[in-house]
Amino acid sequence: VVEVKEDTKGVLRECLLYIQKYLQRKDFNGFFAYPVNDVIAPGYSSIIKDPMDFSTMLSKIENDLYNSIMDYKNDYVLMCNNAMTYNRPETIYYKEAKKLLQSGMKMMSKEKLLTMRGSLG
Ligand SMILES: COc1ccc(C(=O)NC2CCC2)cc1-c1cc(C(C)=O)n2cccnc12
């Protein structure tokens, strides 16, 4: 009998790719698809100290830099909070960030993570 080594890193990567694919579909304008720069958002780099976007999160997933879904969730919340810090509430960016945050929290709710962790063993 060949002992199949539980490749948890691979399982985590599949989960994160699935979650990101689902959440990124909501960013149909692509406002969160790649890093915001000072050309499109004046003064951005002096206001936002820890920028985050979906392309950065994808490369972190692919390089196994996330040790848990909670790690990924922290970057996701950071990305949304950055947009709600730099942009005024009446802007499309603030509004979209708020929607992304809500759907992300539903997708990665604590109880869901606990059941998932349970089934992962
Ligand atoms: C990768 O970021 C972007 C890419 C494309 C666009 C864009 O197409 N903006 C057009 C819609 C009205 C101008 C905006 C952004 C963008 C994101 C953001 C965020 C996420 O804060 N942002 C803030 C101020 C100005 N522009 C932006």
Side-chain angles (χ1 to χ4, degrees), residues 27 29-37 39-42 44 48 52-53 79 82-84 86-87 91-94 97:
D27 175 32
N29 293 304
F31 296 149
F32 298 85
Y34 55 91
V36 184
N37 56 61
V39 174
I40 55 174
Y44 194 84
I48 298 299
M52 190 47 66
D53 68 283
M79 176 181 75
N82 285 344
M84 293 164 74
Y86 175 82
N87 300 286
T91 59
I92 35 175
Y93 310 116
Y94 184 103

Side-chain angles (χ1 to χ4, degrees), residues 8-9 12-13 16 60-61 63-73 117 120:
T8 43
K9 274 283 175 192
L12 179 63
R13 194 182 317 122
L16 294 178
K60 285 177 78 171
I61 294 172
N63 296 307
D64 292 336
L65 293 179
Y66 290 119
N67 289 320
S68 68
I69 296 183
M70 290 303 283
D71 279 351
Y72 173 84
K73 187 173 170 179
R117 189 172 60 181
L120 283 180

